[in-house]
Amino acid sequence: MRVIASYNIKGGVGKTTTAVNLAWLSSREGRRTLLWDLDSQGAAGYCFRVQGRAHGKRLLRGKSDAADIIRSTSYDGLDLLPADFSYRNVDVLLHDEKQPLNRLQKVLKPLKQDYDIVILDCPPGLSLLSEAVFRAADMLVVPTLPSILSLRTLKMLIDFRKEHAIKDLQLLAFLTMVDRRKKLHNDVIESSLRAQSWMLEAFVPYASEVEQMAERREPVAAYAPHGRAGTAYMALWQEVCKKSGLSPSPQSSRSC
């Protein structure tokens, strides 16, 4: 089972949009996929029309099993572990645990035989929950705006990973909300940043179909697969699979 986190220190960069679309694309290829919404706003659950009950405290303290909370979506092979408003206190809950950084791993461990891919939709910030995500995930997929502040927080994340010697955590960033009409966006795309080993070639454009996702409550790649954003997310997922060593074949994905 591979665990991929859609994460960024900065908010408003498209983490949930990324998580929802990658989870849908994973399941479409035949992988048994679980999307765990870790954000108290519950946006991923909203997009899949799944509402969570107040379970965060019991789940993170080991008093509830994830399997009892997981809900199916309307898409075959795609399940959701929904968030609820109690997740706003998740750092406090983790702080009270003896081994807080291992708590997410313990929740996921019993699910290894049930899923090929787990995708974590993470809230912004650099917190105790973030460090627990770093411990539980195999890879961080980091949506990054082509702006000075967003690139600055990306550097902070890369420096944090290096300083704390988190060697087993693969980090892959990509540019999102790209508007080719803006000089800064074009400058970033054409800069040496794109040549970094941790920067993906695929980027997601600023497109109206992305803004419709919350209204339609379904993945962009599902309702507009041939649009600019839909094809961009497909290219992004293919590159993530390649970088992580995932087979593109649904049949072979059962052995992940």
Side-chain angles (χ1 to χ4, degrees):
M1 182 176 78
R2 302 289 183 88
V3 181
I4 299 173
S6 177
Y7 172 81
N8 194 316
I9 298 173
K10 185 174 173 55
V13 298
K15 293 182 296 297
T16 295
T17 304
T18 300
V20 165
N21 280 282
L22 296 192
W24 181 83
L25 287 164
S26 172
S27 65
R28 190 191 67 159
E29 292 180 345
R31 294 183 176 91
R32 300 166 299 174
T33 304
L34 174 66
L35 174 58
W36 186 358
D37 189 350
L38 290 168
D39 194 330
S40 62
Q41 297 179 68
Y46 180 83
C47 288
F48 283 116
R49 304 174 188 269
V50 176
Q51 185 173 357
R53 299 177 182 178
H55 63 262
K57 182 176 181 180
R58 293 185 59 83
L59 178 64
L60 293 175
R61 290 188 170 171
K63 295 181 180 180
S64 294
D65 294 330
D68 296 329
I69 302 167
I70 290 171
R71 299 290 180 263
S72 60
T73 70
S74 57
Y75 301 102
D76 291 340
L78 177 54
D79 293 339
L80 179 75
L81 183 51
D84 60 75
F85 203 48
S86 70
Y87 276 56
R88 72 192 186 281
N89 297 319
V90 68
D91 277 340
V92 176
L93 297 175
L94 290 174
H95 186 270
D96 292 339
E97 294 293 313
K98 292 182 179 179
Q99 295 181 311
L101 300 187
N102 295 332
R103 191 62 243 169
L104 300 188
Q105 284 179 310
K106 290 181 179 179
V107 172
L108 291 173
K109 186 176 180 180
L111 304 175
K112 283 188 174 182
Q113 301 304 314
D114 299 322
Y115 296 100
D116 302 312
I117 297 287
V118 176
I119 293 181
L120 308 178
D121 181 21
C122 305
L126 190 53
S127 62
L128 195 57
L129 173 60
S130 303
E131 293 190 65
V133 166
F134 301 162
R135 186 72 62 88
D138 300 300
M139 172 190 289
L140 296 185
V141 174
V142 187
T144 305
L145 302 180
S147 68
I148 301 302
L149 290 179
S150 191
L151 294 172
R152 178 175 176 271
T153 56
L154 174 59
K155 184 179 185 302
M156 290 171 60
L157 176 58
I158 292 171
D159 290 344
F160 182 90
R161 175 173 168 265
K162 182 177 180 180
E163 290 168 8
H164 291 76
I166 312 175
K167 299 178 181 178
D168 295 332
L169 179 64
Q170 188 176 11
L171 186 152
L172 296 174
F174 72 97
L175 296 175
T176 188
M177 302 186 197
V178 175
D179 188 344
R180 297 303 299 263
R181 296 170 298 180
K182 297 183 178 180
K183 183 179 183 300
L184 175 60
H185 290 205
N186 284 316
D187 289 346
V188 171
I189 285 179
E190 296 168 5
S191 71
S192 59
L193 176 72
R194 297 292 301 284
Q196 298 293 331
S197 60
W198 37 260
M199 179 61 76
L200 297 173
E201 285 292 324
F203 66 88
V204 177
Y206 181 84
S208 60
E209 58 256 34
V210 177
E211 297 179 336
Q212 297 169 16
M213 200 176 89
E215 180 182 354
R216 299 181 65 109
R217 300 179 72 175
E218 56 182 323
V220 176
Y223 63 79
H226 303 298
R228 290 190 301 140
T231 55
Y233 278 115
M234 291 177 191
L236 175 66
W237 175 241
Q238 290 171 2
E239 198 170 353
V240 167
C241 286
K242 182 178 179 180
K243 292 282 188 178
S244 63
L246 286 172
S247 168
S249 168
Q251 289 77 18
S252 60
S253 71
R254 298 302 185 189
S255 61
C256 291

